Every structure is written in C-alpha cells, then in structure tokens.
Amino acid sequence: MGTNLNSGAQFATKPHLPHHLNGIIISHYAKIGKNCYIAPFVVIGEGCEIGDNCYIHDGVSIGDGAKIGNNCLLYAHVTVYHDCRIGNDCILHSGCVIGADGFGFAPNAAGGFDKIPQLGNVIIEDDVEIGANTCI
C-alpha cells in the first residue's frame, strides 16, 4: 500500500497504528499530538494539527491546514476540508463532511441558475457531536 510518513511530520509521541503503516499518508509539517490512534488509509494534509488523544478511523481525509482539537473521535470516512477547525472533545460520525461547498444557487437573468461562491472555512467549537453523513 502507498504509505508515506514525510520527514517533516512531527509526532508528540509515537502514534498507535493498529495495522502498521497500511496506506497512511501524513504530509510534511503535520503535527500529531500525544496518544493518537490512526487507522489504515488515513490522509493528513500539509500543515495539519491533530490534538492529543484523538482517534482517527479508516479512510478519514483531513485537508491541508485543518486543525483537530484534543480528545476527538473521527469515525470512518470523515472528510475535513482544508483550513477547517474542529474543537476539543468532538465526535464526527461516519461519512460526515466538514467544509464542503454548499448547494447555493441563485436565479440568473437567462432563467437558469448560477452557483453562489462558498467562501471561508468551517469552525466547529468544543463538545460537538455531528451525525453520520452530515454535510456542513
């Protein structure tokens, strides 16, 4: 499997990798806190920060510059887009997507619809639980 733990990645302590390095990609300058569990096929982007005691399950994708607080639980196939912020003690259930483009469209003069630009990022504060397959 394509595993890549780049030399610039910083680990506060050795992460718990239950299936060794099977398909895990951690980009340069990512910071991983103490006592973190990282499952197979996880991608952690450039400049990400993962807090202490986080559980990151299979197939999670964390975009460049995203920050995940302490004691967070990200179930399988969660996606956190670039530059989004997840607070401390949060639970993101399987398949939820944080920071994706919305479904905003506005009518135009020709009778059709134009996409409304989605700007900024998403900030989830502390002690939040987000249900499965939710898109924010």
Side-chain angles (χ1 to χ4, degrees):
M1 284 284 114
T3 299
N4 188 357
L5 295 179
N6 285 296
S7 61
Q10 299 174 26
F11 297 87
T13 60
K14 182 179 177 184
H16 176 65
L17 307 172
H19 301 283
H20 305 288
L21 298 175
N22 193 9
I24 297 170
I25 299 173
I26 299 177
S27 294
H28 293 289
Y29 309 113
K31 296 179 182 178
I32 311 299
K34 297 175 187 171
N35 305 314
C36 288
Y37 168 99
I38 302 173
F41 308 109
V42 167
V43 176
I44 299 174
E46 192 76 27
C48 288
E49 294 181 19
I50 310 297
D52 297 339
N53 306 309
C54 289
Y55 284 77
I56 303 173
H57 288 277
D58 300 71
V60 169
S61 177
I62 303 172
D64 294 347
K67 291 183 175 28
I68 310 295
N70 296 320
N71 308 308
C72 289
L73 173 56
L74 280 64
Y75 283 105
H77 306 291
V78 165
T79 300
V80 178
Y81 275 61
H82 65 90
D83 299 318
C84 289
R85 306 290 182 259
I86 308 297
N88 296 317
D89 304 301
C90 291
I91 300 172
L92 281 62
H93 287 276
S94 295
C96 77
V97 179
I98 307 299
D101 226 8
F103 300 104
F105 293 90
N108 61 28
F113 292 91
D114 293 326
K115 186 172 171 112
I116 299 171
Q118 307 290 306
L119 306 173
N121 65 339
V122 174
I123 298 172
I124 305 293
E125 296 195 7
D126 296 345
D127 301 305
V128 174
E129 185 167 351
I130 299 173
N133 296 319
T134 301
C135 184
I136 298 176

